[in-house]
């Protein structure tokens, strides 16, 4: 599985209620987005991943904001299909690799990219994208490191997403606008389906 090629936008989701997880996943699928990243920023995250993995198997569910090896182990045990970290340390990279799951380690500089590349990893999360140079930085990375592909995340909006996706070293972007907190709180699945459809159409 190449997680950069599943959808042009990976919804990056903060959930407060695990009961929202399954209908959210179904709404995204109905809109044509078959991947979701649940961030481990709330106590609902791991139960949400478990629920989606069990009840919506056609959705590729991943765990994000992984910052410790213990979180990595917990996410894998919950049934995450891929893993994402906002940055990298040697211990974190070891833990990610030990799961055997696809993962996107976070990088923001050339030195961090080279550290990850030393492990043979060529697909990474560029975070925080906008405040780390945005599309200009990604163009600069492509010169010395054309073999690297990125999922930039952080500060990207519907107004800027096409600029990122037009770059040859960008496979997809991470975005929170598909699943805004107000829509999740209101269980407004039609609006999330609509946002997912617009995101899916970016690759047509």
């Amino acid at each position: 599985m190449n997680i950069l090629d599943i959808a042009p936008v990976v919804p990056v989701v903060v959930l407060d209620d695990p009961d929202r997880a399954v209908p959210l996943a179904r709404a995204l699928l109905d809109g044509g987005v078959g991947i979701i990243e649940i961030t481990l920023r709330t106590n609902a995250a791991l139960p949400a991943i478990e629920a989606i993995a069990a009840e919506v198997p056609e959705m590729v569910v991943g765990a994000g904001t992984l910052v410790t090896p213990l979180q990595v182990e917990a996410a894998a045990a919950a049934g995450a299909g891929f893993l994402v970290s906002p940055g990298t340390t040697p211990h974190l990279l070891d833990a990610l690799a030990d799961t055997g799951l696809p993962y996107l380690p976070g990088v923001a500089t050339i030195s961090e990219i080279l550290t990850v590349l030393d492990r043979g990893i060529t697909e990474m999360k560029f975070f925080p994208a906008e405040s780390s140079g945005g599309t200009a930085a990604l163009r600069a990375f492509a010169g010395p490191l054309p073999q690297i592909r990125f999922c930039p995340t952080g500060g990207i909006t519907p107004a800027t997403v096409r600029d990122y996706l037009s770059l040859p070293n960008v496979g997809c972007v991470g975005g929170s606008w598909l699943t805004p907190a107000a829509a999740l709180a209101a269980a407004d699945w039609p609006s999330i389906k609509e946002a997912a459809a617009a995101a899916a159409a970016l690759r047509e």
Side-chain angles (χ1 to χ4, degrees), residues 125-153:
K125 172 179 178 174
F126 177 47
F127 178 83
E130 278 289 286
S131 59
S132 298
T135 55
L138 288 161
R139 289 190 189 94
F141 295 157
L145 297 165
Q147 73 274 44
I148 308 298
R149 296 176 76 216
F150 297 96
C151 175
T153 305

Side-chain angles (χ1 to χ4, degrees), residues 10-136:
V10 177
V12 179
V13 183
V14 180
L15 273 179
D16 294 313
D17 182 354
D19 291 339
R20 296 283 196 260
V22 167
L24 168 61
R26 289 177 174 151
L28 290 169
L29 273 175
D30 287 346
V33 172
I35 187 169
I36 185 172
E37 176 189 331
I38 305 292
T39 61
L40 265 66
R41 301 181 190 180
T42 69
N43 291 331
L46 290 173
I49 291 168
E50 290 178 351
I52 294 171
E55 298 183 45
V56 196
E58 60 270 41
M59 171 63 79
V60 180
V61 58
T65 319
L66 300 174
V67 297
T68 69
L70 285 177
Q71 287 181 323
V72 171
E73 293 171 11
F82 69 97
L83 308 169
V84 185
S85 68
T88 54
T89 68
H91 290 307
L92 189 57
L93 286 171
D94 288 342
L96 290 165
D98 286 347
T99 66
L101 295 170
Y103 61 95
L104 291 175
V107 296
T109 68
I110 283 284
S111 293
E112 291 170 355
I113 294 169
L114 291 176
T115 298
V116 173
L117 183 60
D118 276 347
R119 303 257 185 151
I121 301 160
T122 59
E123 297 187 343
M124 308 173 195
K125 172 179 178 174
F126 177 47
F127 178 83
E130 278 289 286
S131 59
S132 298
T135 55

Side-chain angles (χ1 to χ4, degrees), residues 4-5 8 124 126 134-135 138-139 142 148-153 156 161-174 203:
L4 295 188
D5 296 324
M124 308 173 195
F126 177 47
T135 55
L138 288 161
R139 289 190 189 94
I148 308 298
R149 296 176 76 216
F150 297 96
C151 175
T153 305
I156 301 171
V161 62
R162 290 184 184 275
D163 295 336
Y164 280 90
L165 291 174
S166 70
L167 300 176
N169 58 348
V170 170
C172 62
V173 305
R203 194 169 276 166

